[in-house]
Amino acid sequence: MFHLLCLLLFLLPSSNMYPGVSAVCAFRTRCFFRRLLPDLPAVMHRHYTLDVAAPLLRTQGYVDGRWISAASVFPVLDPATGQELARVSDCGPGEAKQAVDAAYKAFQSWKGTTAKERSLLLRKWHDLMMLHKEDLAKLITFECGKTMRESIGEVMYSSSFLEWFSEEARRMYGDIVPSPFKDRKILQLKQPVGVASIITPWNFPSAMITRKVGAALAAGCTVVVKPAEDTPLSALALAELAEQAGIPAGVFNVVPSSREKTPSVGHVLCTDPLVAKISFTGSTATGKVLLKLAADTVKRASMELGGHAPFIVFDSADVDKAVAGAIASKFRNSGQTCVCANRFFVQSGIYDLFLEKLGQAMDSELRLGHGSDPETTQGPLINVRAAEKVVNQVSDAVSLGAKVLRGGKRLEGSFMEPTLLADVTTDMLCTREETFGPLLPVVRFNTEEEALAIANASNVGLAGYFYSQDVSQIWRVAEALEVGMVGINEGIISTSEALFGGVKQSGLGREGSNHGINEYVEVKYMCFGGLKL
Ligand code: NAP
């Protein structure tokens, strides 16, 4: 009877925008814990409150420098508890069109600003992110589930793109090319492409926006951002800070939308003739849909798509470093990053030792819980579907002969035990598709050729990692891996100074680094003739 009451209360629509406001809302949340999370540590039965300074907890769309409401709202949930955090304006194609028009209008003046002016505004935006880093991190933890430590890390990473591109803005040099004609000069001038549509995923709700927007604004483009349904709050907080930084109206627009409205919003953002460029981060399947939409008006496109990273440990490796790298690369954000190691290949000479040390490290280092608890290293997955995908891969592997050395179970809600599988083979699902969860499957191999062949047998190629202390092997393997980014004796490689991007069906273009700004730039050839020299 009690459970039935809980269930009824849980299903009741709440009129509250913020957590902990009414007794009904709090009661609903506690019921959710009891119903869904019995296997988790006792600490999970606490009530968690998102206490963020009011100006940063925005729930409306941001278009042309104004906060706009839509005809309806959609809820944003804490994936750890199912608790409703906020209700956000559900922007549709109308609001998306308004945003594109505003960005196009703003582009006419923004492109005329000096690089130094743009640089100073980006720098101010970065500084405000730093000032509010705790609150921005709380938003990330509550809407996407990652731990506070990782969320602070994401805010630092995210703001670093505004800082980096504020510096790059002033180095957007063109060329003066030696001319073969005495009466003509050849100039190559860099100009912004125009309005850019930016579509981002939930797993880095802040950094996936700034990595694109920093480059776009630095180049002189204006943008319309559509964040993921699960994580609009971080995007809207960025809009608030952009406004405080003095970024002019229409330069940065955000249209949050529910999954139902997403295709119609995406249609506007990828087909409107006023949009010159689309930049997308997300799954390969969605990337293909957006590329097809953009083809009719031949828009420029950058695509940061799915990965399936191999992690190879050779006999010559320092096993302790390889174990530390494996833990960092696999279990960051509970395995939900596109560069997470997905397939582990370990050479036969150190296979048993590696598994033993890895199992011990998982026991001592990984703790499940709510991301806001300081003890937690592993939050929930983004939703129940994501946890079911991991369970499905585990069952498939076990049915084909894999051994579960650690974990293997889905806990209630979207929590999944960190899982270690041995005796994995390349016919198992977990070595053929991206997991996006805390599953670490280990395949034994004998030779370097064999490892490279199975690592490269994939239609995607984002990141790849390997551990070896043999310098010649390091060169051979680094060059032979079919990926856009290689970690050599290193499991965490992302930084704003280095490029980010993949080969094969992992995408098109590069973000960050000295290359990122070029995604938002056209190079115009000017032939200056008739000169009497
Ligand atoms: P997803 O389903 O492709 O969604 C990503 C974004 O696209 C969300 O904002 C989503 O909106 C939107 N979207 C979906 N269908 C759309 C449509 N028809 N028109 C316009 N927008 C549309 O990806 P995900 O599951 O959230 O993210 C996980 C994937 O992203 C993984 O494959 C991961 O590897 C990849 N990823 C890649 C990188 C990289 O840099 N290469 C970085 C992070 C993640 P809704 O939320 O409303 O559906």
Side-chain angles (χ1 to χ4, degrees):
M1 186 60 201
F2 175 74
H3 282 91
L4 190 63
L5 183 61
C6 285
L7 186 61
L8 282 172
L9 281 166
F10 179 69
L11 294 173
L12 276 176
S14 162
S15 59
N16 291 301
M17 301 250 293
Y18 308 111
V21 175
S22 81
V24 170
C25 186
F27 184 57
R28 273 187 347 148
T29 304
R30 284 196 297 274
C31 289
F32 185 90
F33 282 133
R34 290 201 182 99
R35 214 160 42 85
L36 295 182
L37 305 171
D39 291 346
L40 285 167
V43 75
M44 282 305 301
H45 294 257
R46 275 179 32 204
H47 180 69
Y48 293 89
T49 305
L50 171 60
D51 62 337
V52 161
L56 287 181
L57 192 51
R58 287 288 182 177
T59 56
Q60 291 166 295
Y62 184 69
V63 173
D64 206 9
R66 286 177 298 112
W67 295 99
I68 59 156
S69 295
S72 55
V73 292
F74 66 94
V76 181
L77 306 179
D78 177 344
T81 61
Q83 179 186 343
E84 185 176 301
L85 302 171
R87 292 183 178 187
V88 169
S89 298
D90 193 359
C91 294
E95 287 82 10
K97 177 62 181 152
Q98 257 182 26
V100 167
D101 289 347
Y104 187 74
K105 192 176 88 207
F107 176 62
Q108 308 316 317
S109 48
W110 183 248
K111 69 181 176 188
T113 55
T114 66
K116 187 167 179 180
E117 285 167 336
R118 297 195 295 275
S119 171
L120 290 173
L121 287 171
L122 283 170
R123 179 71 205 203
K124 196 152 177 216
W125 197 6
H126 159 271
D127 294 345
L128 285 167
M129 284 189 75
M130 288 291 84
L131 192 65
H132 296 285
K133 73 169 183 260
E134 286 283 332
D135 276 353
L136 295 174
K138 281 184 200 161
L139 287 173
I140 295 173
T141 287
F142 273 80
E143 67 177 349
C144 110
K146 65 177 71 170
T147 64
M148 268 305 275
R149 198 166 142 259
E150 286 191 81
S151 297
I152 293 274
E154 176 172 347
V155 175
M156 303 298 286
Y157 180 56
S158 176
S159 63
S160 78
F161 288 105
L162 300 182
E163 181 187 43
W164 172 259
F165 285 113
S166 78
E167 292 156 357
E168 286 295 284
R170 301 179 67 187
R171 322 229 184 291
M172 215 171 79
Y173 305 128
D175 313 290
I176 298 178
V177 179
S179 172
F181 311 104
K182 281 208 157 70
D183 62 342
R184 291 180 226 167
K185 291 283 180 197
I186 296 175
L187 288 78
Q188 296 178 161
L189 179 72
K190 290 192 177 169
Q191 294 185 305
V193 296
V195 174
S197 292
I198 309 273
I199 301 178
T200 53
W202 49 267
N203 65 339
F204 284 89
S206 179
M208 293 304 98
I209 294 175
T210 54
R211 199 162 74 183
K212 298 171 186 304
V213 171
L217 266 55
C221 297
T222 55
V223 300
V224 179
V225 176
K226 193 217 84 68
E229 180 200 54
D230 297 304
T231 57
L233 301 179
S234 296
L236 296 170
L238 281 175
E240 167 65 29
L241 295 181
E243 186 170 88
Q244 288 183 21
I247 308 266
V251 170
F252 180 73
N253 305 277
V254 182
V255 284
S257 71
S258 66
R259 209 146 275 148
E260 289 70 46
K261 297 245 174 90
T262 284
S264 57
V265 169
H267 192 270
V268 171
L269 298 187
C270 296
T271 61
D272 194 292
L274 298 184
V275 172
K277 153 106 196 171
I278 61 168
S279 180
F280 171 71
T281 294
S283 63
T284 300
T286 304
K288 289 177 186 178
V289 170
L290 304 186
L291 275 174
K292 282 181 193 147
L293 286 176
D296 258 358
T297 40
V298 194
K299 298 193 194 311
R300 293 267 302 266
S302 300
M303 295 277 140
E304 295 290 345
L305 307 178
H308 188 32
F311 187 107
I312 309 172
V313 188
F314 290 102
D315 279 346
S316 74
D318 177 326
V319 175
D320 290 327
K321 287 199 176 132
V323 165
I327 295 258
S329 175
K330 176 72 254 183
F331 295 111
R332 189 160 67 111
N333 198 13
S334 299
Q336 302 172 107
T337 86
C338 53
V339 290
C340 270
N342 207 57
R343 303 168 285 155
F344 290 74
F345 306 119
V346 181
Q347 204 158 7
S348 37
I350 48 150
Y351 181 83
D352 292 332
L353 180 65
F354 178 81
L355 282 177
E356 189 192 326
K357 290 195 170 206
L358 184 58
Q360 286 166 359
M362 286 173 66
D363 293 341
S364 64
E365 289 176 31
L366 305 181
R367 280 173 304 279
L368 279 163
H370 194 281
S372 65
D373 277 321
E375 300 292 294
T376 301
T377 67
Q378 303 288 289
L381 300 191
I382 189 69
N383 53 37
V384 170
R385 241 179 327 129
E388 280 166 355
K389 183 178 183 192
V390 184
V391 170
N392 186 38
Q393 288 193 355
V394 174
S395 325
D396 168 78
V398 170
S399 74
L400 292 171
K403 260 200 224 109
V404 181
L405 298 188
R406 294 292 187 284
K409 279 201 308 254
R410 180 187 147 201
L411 304 175
E412 299 292 342
S414 62
F415 280 86
M416 177 74 208
E417 286 183 330
T419 298
L420 174 59
L421 294 182
D423 297 345
V424 172
T425 53
T426 52
D427 55 341
M428 297 173 186
L429 210 50
C430 56
T431 61
R432 290 191 278 116
E433 64 176 25
E434 189 183 27
T435 305
F436 236 59
L439 169 60
L440 197 159
V442 185
V443 177
R444 184 198 297 262
F445 72 89
N446 291 309
T447 66
E448 182 183 307
E449 293 70 31
E450 186 192 346
L452 279 170
I454 48 181
N456 287 338
S458 170
N459 62 5
V460 294
L462 191 58
Y465 308 86
F466 66 94
Y467 280 71
S468 166
Q469 296 190 94
D470 171 343
V471 177
S472 304
Q473 180 173 59
I474 286 175
W475 276 107
R476 283 195 306 273
V477 175
E479 287 187 359
L481 276 178
E482 295 170 2
V483 295
M485 297 168 280
V486 187
I488 305 161
N489 296 323
E490 189 56 67
I492 300 283
I493 57 176
S494 302
T495 170
S496 50
E497 285 79 359
L499 66 79
F500 196 103
V503 301
K504 300 181 177 173
Q505 293 184 29
S506 282
L508 303 169
R510 295 292 179 263
E511 294 190 336
S513 77
N514 55 327
H515 296 281
I517 202 165
N518 294 329
E519 301 287 319
Y520 298 89
V521 161
E522 296 285 9
V523 191
K524 182 183 277 175
Y525 164 37
M526 288 164 50
C527 179
F528 191 170
L531 300 171
K532 294 192 178 98
L533 298 172

